[in-house]
Amino acid sequence: MSALQQLAAADTVSGNVSAIGYGLAAIGPGVGVGIIFGNGTQALARQPEAAGLIRTNQIMGFAFCEALALIGIVMGFVYQ
């Protein structure tokens, strides 16, 4: 197969690469949410009297991580 045929075959690839990009971008917030709730559970086990403050911080961290995931899915549509 010549180089010209390989280039022509490369042009026939079609699809939405942003879906792959979002799948990779969702790994970060997924790991972040796991860390937030894992450490929050440890903090609650160590200091149960601070449950309100710990829970509030968990929810704030969760919201920020999920905002990153939503930004990732929107960017797939913006740069399409």
Side-chain angles (χ1 to χ4, degrees):
M1 183 180 259
S2 70
L4 185 59
Q5 288 174 335
Q6 288 177 347
L7 288 174
D11 287 337
T12 61
V13 175
S14 64
N16 194 356
V17 181
S18 64
I20 296 170
Y22 175 67
L24 293 174
I27 293 172
V31 170
V33 167
I35 290 171
I36 287 168
F37 284 108
N39 289 336
T41 303
Q42 287 181 4
L44 284 171
R46 291 173 189 259
Q47 285 189 321
E49 66 273 4
L53 180 63
I54 293 169
R55 192 172 297 119
T56 302
N57 288 335
Q58 276 184 323
I59 291 170
M60 291 289 289
F62 175 73
F64 290 139
C65 282
E66 287 302 312
L68 289 175
L70 292 175
I71 289 170
I73 196 167
V74 169
M75 287 301 127
F77 292 116
V78 169
Y79 292 120
Q80 192 173 23

